[in-house]
Amino acid sequence: MPFQIVNSIISWFLKKRKHQMELFLKYPIDVQHELLFKLLNKAQNTEIGIKYDFSKIDTYKDFTKNVPIQQYESIEPLIDRTRKGEQNIFWPTHIRWFAKSSGTTNAKSKFIPVSDEALENCHFKAGKDMLCLYFNNNEEAQLFTGKGLRLGGSSAVYEDNDTYFGDLSAIIIENMPFWADFRSAPKQETALMEEWETKLNAIVKETINEDITSLVGVPSWMLVLLNRVLEKTGKDNILEVWPNLEVYFHGGVNFNPYREQFKKLIPKKDFKYYETYNASEGFFAIQDVNDSLDMLLMLDYGIFYEFIPMHAFNGEDSEAIPLEQVELNTNYAIVITTNGGLWRYLIGDTVKFTSLNPYRIRITGRTKHFINVFGEELIVENAEEALKQACLKTNAEISEYTAAPVFMDNKKSGRHEWIIEFKKLPEDIDYFTEILDNTIKAINSDYEAKRYHDLTLEMPKVNVAPEGLFYNWLKLKGKLGGQHKIPRLSNSRKHLEELLELELVN
């Protein structure tokens, strides 16, 4: 078959990259430090480079002394100037593309600069590496005998002052090289549709008669698409529509709450799930072993990494450490310096290392997505492990959730309040709540201490959301599709109150 020959040729080409990866696998620290000084040298004559004396930085210590850790708000004025046409501010090559991202459902958007180097040597390179690792681990893979279904953002790319902005996925599709666009679905015109519902229906119509062999996209939105496919076709599972489907490349949110739903939709024992860690700021890590929960930190994408231990986190005033000083199973905030002109930029994600040789990570949450009103330090990783256990023991399935504190006010104790939308309701919601509470106590000693005799925290309250509540909430905010995510945990009750109010209205 012609497509089998094409598959063999492309897979052979992709697998060759594995030998290049051996360099950073064998010499990770050398590769990272060499990269740092290449970035500094390239940008030394930019406005930022002159301000922070890049030309005089000879050591990592000099770098940390000269260049401050910065969040988006600190560099927003520079980005605004670049969006208005000024150049050579934070990166020497022309910046035309900006990835519009809120990270959560906040109204204020961020515009992350995307250089040509970042597109080519980070995002596109990562796409090839994702396939390289998959083909190396699965010699029988036949991805290119069919098509890959990509589900990107719902925004088109907009022009402003001769610069362009939109979802990162839209920017990537707009600039996609021929090798990446080859055997992809839907067509570019459909993938870049702005209105989410119209786009979703168009993708279903366009792909149900194709031979889809792989899926790429955010789990929450991919589930919406797959269920829409089953509604349209009347089939019982996705394999009846696409029998040669073999892998789902996912990222953007924690996959654990969605895993069981995907297994039911795609009932294939040897079906593969590959996790990736990419964001508007860069592509950071890829699962490199079948059936693993860990991702390999990619060290040659033009990104220099630093890490802040979360127990000492203090925003821009934190002290970061380089890769060689990280330890296993410690929660770190990530700081990046990139070939897109971000310098010691705090991206807001937290990770822990599960291996130091090679460097493998798991995402644990966001620096702003936690509850620590009472000293309980509840992070997303804790929450999702507890939800997983509660689902297993009550035969439940979760679609979406969020949680926030109930403040003490005139009471002696506070509590956590959850809104959970179930795909399948638990057999006993009180027992579900009890398991949720006990699991968090078992894995988080701070939470356990605050729950002792209800002195600081009472038993959590779980609200069962009506079907479609989170979807409708995002729709009201104009945040359907793509990279828009539900904020899982918050010290503020803003999101939770909005959802409760919407539930009462409906």
Side-chain angles (χ1 to χ4, degrees):
M1 293 288 292
F3 285 137
Q4 289 177 329
I5 296 172
V6 170
N7 185 80
S8 298
I9 293 171
I10 295 178
S11 63
W12 172 82
F13 174 75
L14 288 167
K15 286 190 285 188
K16 290 175 63 178
R17 159 69 177 153
K18 190 67 165 61
H19 300 296
Q20 297 172 347
M21 292 183 196
E22 296 295 335
L23 180 64
F24 77 74
L25 289 171
K26 190 173 183 180
Y27 305 106
I29 307 307
D30 293 336
V31 167
Q32 274 282 280
H33 282 272
E34 181 181 346
L35 170 61
L36 171 62
F37 290 104
K38 282 184 178 178
L39 295 173
L40 289 167
N41 182 62
K42 181 152 189 171
Q44 63 180 324
N45 294 320
T46 61
E47 184 175 313
I48 285 285
I50 293 169
K51 179 179 180 179
Y52 295 125
D53 287 330
F54 282 7
S55 63
K56 297 180 181 178
I57 295 176
D58 296 319
T59 65
Y60 171 70
K61 187 175 181 181
D62 292 340
F63 177 62
T64 61
K65 183 179 178 181
N66 283 33
V67 184
I69 292 173
Q70 295 177 312
Q71 295 173 307
Y72 183 80
E73 292 73 18
S74 297
I75 63 173
E76 187 174 22
L78 300 179
I79 290 175
D80 285 344
R81 285 170 53 197
T82 306
R83 290 188 63 216
K84 291 174 182 176
E86 290 188 57
Q87 294 296 328
N88 204 43
I89 294 176
F90 40 77
W91 190 246
T93 59
H94 195 84
I95 302 286
R96 295 182 302 136
W97 301 94
F98 294 85
K100 184 181 178 184
S101 169
S102 60
T104 66
T105 55
N106 294 337
K108 184 174 181 178
S109 294
K110 299 177 182 178
F111 293 88
I112 304 299
V114 182
S115 67
D116 290 342
E117 291 91 338
L119 275 174
E120 186 64 36
N121 298 322
C122 182
H123 294 290
F124 292 147
K125 187 176 182 179
K128 286 186 283 188
D129 285 356
M130 179 179 76
L131 295 172
C132 164
L133 291 166
Y134 178 73
F135 274 108
N136 271 283
N137 292 331
N138 302 279
E139 294 289 339
E140 74 290 352
Q142 297 292 315
L143 292 190
F144 291 103
T145 61
K147 292 186 177 182
L149 193 162
R150 59 194 179 195
L151 183 61
S154 56
S155 296
V157 176
Y158 301 93
E159 183 177 356
D160 183 24
N161 293 310
D162 198 33
T163 62
Y164 303 85
F165 67 90
D167 285 354
L168 176 68
S169 56
I171 291 172
I172 288 174
I173 291 170
E174 187 84 17
N175 289 276
M176 193 169 283
F178 77 93
W179 60 262
D181 201 36
F182 180 73
R183 306 296 291 164
S184 291
K187 59 188 177 183
Q188 188 176 93
E189 179 184 345
T190 305
L192 291 174
M193 279 184 175
E194 183 177 359
E195 206 284 312
W196 173 251
E197 290 283 358
T198 304
K199 171 178 171 175
L200 204 62
N201 291 330
I203 292 175
V204 172
K205 184 178 180 181
E206 191 176 319
T207 59
I208 54 176
N209 294 315
E210 294 281 7
D211 181 14
I212 301 297
T213 54
S214 65
L215 305 172
V216 182
V218 176
S220 51
W221 299 114
M222 186 62 73
L223 272 178
V224 174
L225 174 65
L226 297 184
N227 281 307
R228 194 72 60 91
V229 167
L230 294 184
E231 289 173 15
K232 179 72 174 178
T233 61
K235 302 296 185 182
D236 292 327
N237 66 67
I238 292 299
L239 294 177
E240 292 180 6
V241 183
W242 300 317
N244 296 318
L245 190 65
E246 61 178 82
V247 62
Y248 173 32
F249 298 101
H250 60 85
V253 298
N254 191 310
F255 189 57
N256 283 337
Y258 306 100
R259 192 177 299 276
E260 292 305 313
Q261 294 177 62
F262 274 94
K263 286 182 178 179
K264 289 183 178 180
L265 286 171
I266 310 170
K268 185 177 183 179
K269 286 186 178 180
D270 59 348
F271 188 78
K272 302 293 190 299
Y273 296 93
Y274 263 61
E275 185 167 5
T276 63
Y277 177 18
N278 60 317
S280 298
E281 296 86 353
F283 206 120
F284 309 128
I286 304 170
Q287 179 183 327
D288 65 318
V289 178
N290 284 346
D291 305 317
S292 174
L293 297 177
D294 306 329
M295 291 178 285
L296 181 69
L297 190 64
M298 307 304 286
L299 303 178
D300 64 348
Y301 285 0
I303 301 172
F304 177 78
Y305 294 97
E306 297 175 87
F307 302 89
I308 303 170
M310 280 304 291
H311 64 78
F313 183 79
N314 190 27
E316 293 182 339
D317 295 323
S318 304
E319 289 191 16
I321 60 173
L323 184 63
E324 59 263 38
Q325 293 181 22
V326 300
E327 298 176 350
L328 293 175
N329 299 313
T330 298
N331 210 26
Y332 292 105
I334 305 177
V335 178
I336 58 172
T337 292
T338 77
N339 54 6
L342 298 176
W343 299 97
R344 304 200 81 200
Y345 180 79
L346 192 58
I347 64 173
D349 290 341
T350 60
V351 300
K352 69 177 181 181
F353 284 85
T354 56
S355 167
L356 301 182
N357 184 25
Y359 286 98
R360 291 196 180 100
I361 60 171
R362 292 187 191 179
I363 302 169
T364 55
R366 300 274 296 171
T367 56
K368 294 181 180 178
H369 290 191
F370 58 87
I371 304 178
N372 194 30
V373 171
F374 311 102
E376 66 274 45
E377 296 191 20
L378 178 66
I379 63 173
V380 173
E381 184 184 39
N382 298 158
E384 296 195 334
E385 177 59 29
L387 289 169
K388 176 184 174 183
Q389 294 303 320
C391 283
L392 285 173
K393 294 179 181 178
T394 62
N395 198 27
E397 293 178 11
I398 289 175
S399 297
E400 300 290 354
Y401 77 91
T402 192
V406 176
F407 298 101
M408 289 180 179
D409 295 329
N410 296 322
K411 300 177 181 179
K412 68 172 185 176
S413 303
R415 72 195 313 183
H416 291 173
E417 184 172 8
W418 300 69
I419 298 181
I420 303 176
E421 186 176 330
F422 291 94
K423 177 79 172 178
K424 182 180 180 183
L425 283 167
E427 295 164 348
D428 184 334
I429 191 64
D430 291 332
Y431 184 44
F432 179 95
T433 305
E434 183 182 333
I435 297 167
L436 176 70
D437 180 54
N438 286 336
T439 305
I440 298 175
K441 286 192 287 189
I443 61 180
N444 183 325
S445 59
D446 292 310
Y447 179 88
E448 182 184 34
K450 303 305 179 292
R451 283 282 293 114
Y452 183 71
H453 289 325
D454 294 348
L455 289 176
T456 305
L457 285 174
E458 296 177 356
M459 174 74 77
K461 177 182 179 181
V462 173
N463 299 288
V464 177
E467 184 179 355
L469 178 66
F470 284 88
Y471 186 92
N472 292 332
W473 180 58
L474 288 171
K475 189 174 184 178
L476 282 173
K477 290 176 168 288
K479 299 287 186 179
L480 285 180
Q483 298 167 323
H484 301 303
K485 308 164 191 173
I486 303 294
R488 298 307 194 190
L489 305 176
S490 176
N491 279 329
S492 164
R493 287 183 59 83
K494 179 177 181 293
H495 302 309
L496 189 134
E497 294 287 0
E498 289 175 353
L499 285 158
L500 288 174
E501 185 177 346
L502 182 61
E503 180 181 6
L504 290 172
V505 169
N506 293 333

